[in-house]
């Protein structure tokens, strides 16, 4: 095989140019075929909800219009009647679905709610945010509900409730954070 210098002329330069153009074209075609969107302005963090010709959707995607009651049922929990600011989301995944439920309770009801969850092990309390919390991107983020991630908050009681759980629920995690002197926000993240 003969090495062609950058200053080559004639047929050798033409071959080098054609090979370069073919490689660039192949790379462009491969990137275009594998890209999540044909739009050059779409963000890779966007969750696809595009209807395709066969009626399917790209996975993962967020199910629209889900209610806190529907998510609570899938998590096998009962939201207390005194709960306010109820928020929920359901992310359809390839193998597992992500379920988010958050609500605010009077402090007196929070302990009873967590006790009724019957965690397999005692929950832990941490005074400070987790050091790596800002670097970790959650698969099912509470930011979807307009809330901060529990891992980024101080004064949080948290832990796994069950894994595996009853029915199709694979795992359930709870975090409780005081929002003021009389109320706490309960965060529930499940995988089913």
């Amino acid at each position: 095989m003969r090495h062609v210098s950058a200053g080559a002329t004639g047929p050798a330069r033409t071959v080098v140019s054609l090979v370069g153009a073919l490689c660039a074209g192949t790379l462009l075609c491969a990137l275009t075929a594998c890209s999540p969107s044909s739009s050059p302005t779409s963000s890779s963090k966007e969750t696809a909800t595009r209807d395709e010709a066969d009626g399917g959707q790209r996975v993962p995607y967020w199910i629209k219009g889900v209610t806190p009651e529907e998510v609570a049922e899938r998590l096998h929990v009962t939201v207390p009647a005194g709960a306010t600011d109820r928020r929920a989301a359901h992310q359809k995944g390839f193998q597992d679905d992500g379920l988010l439920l958050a609500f605010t309770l009077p402090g007196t009801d929070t302990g009873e709610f967590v006790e009724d969850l019957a965690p397999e092990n005692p929950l832990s309390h941490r005074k400070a945010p987790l050091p790596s919390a800002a670097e970790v991107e959650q698969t099912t983020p509470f930011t979807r509900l307009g809330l901060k991630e529990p891992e980024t908050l101080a004064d949080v009681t948290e832990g796994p409730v069950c894994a595996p759980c009853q029915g199709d629920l694979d795992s359930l995690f709870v975090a409780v954070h005081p929002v003021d002197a009389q109320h706490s926000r309960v965060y529930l993240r499940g995988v089913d």
Side-chain angles (χ1 to χ4, degrees):
M1 184 166 162
R2 196 176 82 175
H3 176 72
V4 179
S5 69
T9 60
R13 183 177 179 106
T14 302
V15 169
V16 169
S17 296
L18 285 173
V19 170
L22 286 173
C23 289
T26 302
L27 179 61
L28 181 61
C29 288
L31 290 174
T32 303
C34 296
S35 70
S37 171
S38 59
S39 169
T41 59
S42 70
S43 165
S44 64
K45 291 187 178 185
E46 281 182 350
T47 303
T49 58
R50 177 179 66 99
D51 289 329
E52 296 179 349
D54 64 359
Q57 293 182 315
R58 291 185 186 187
V59 177
Y61 63 91
W62 293 97
I63 296 175
K64 295 179 181 182
V66 69
T67 66
E69 292 75 21
E70 291 168 335
V71 172
E73 185 177 325
R74 290 188 68 126
L75 293 175
H76 306 288
V77 299
T78 301
V79 178
T84 59
D85 193 19
R86 300 172 185 210
R87 304 178 192 197
H90 180 172
Q91 184 183 53
K92 186 73 174 164
F94 179 70
Q95 290 182 328
D96 294 315
D97 290 0
L99 301 164
L100 299 175
L101 180 63
F103 50 87
T104 303
L105 280 176
T108 55
D109 295 341
T110 305
E112 184 179 330
F113 175 78
V114 171
E115 188 177 305
D116 288 347
L117 289 175
E120 294 173 349
N121 295 302
L123 301 180
S124 60
H125 181 82
R126 65 179 158 75
K127 295 179 182 180
L130 294 175
S132 62
E135 301 167 11
V136 176
E137 186 175 326
Q138 293 289 340
T139 306
T140 51
F142 280 98
T143 55
R144 176 76 183 180
L145 303 177
L147 300 170
K148 292 183 178 182
E149 296 299 319
E151 296 81 5
T152 65
L153 301 171
D155 192 18
V156 174
T157 301
E158 64 188 354
V161 174
C162 56
C165 306
Q166 66 182 8
D168 290 337
L169 191 62
D170 295 330
S171 65
L172 179 62
F173 180 87
V174 64
V176 178
H177 172 69
V179 291
D180 60 35
Q182 291 85 28
H183 299 88
S184 293
R185 175 163 287 122
V186 176
Y187 297 84
L188 294 166
R189 179 181 279 130
V191 176
D192 85 350

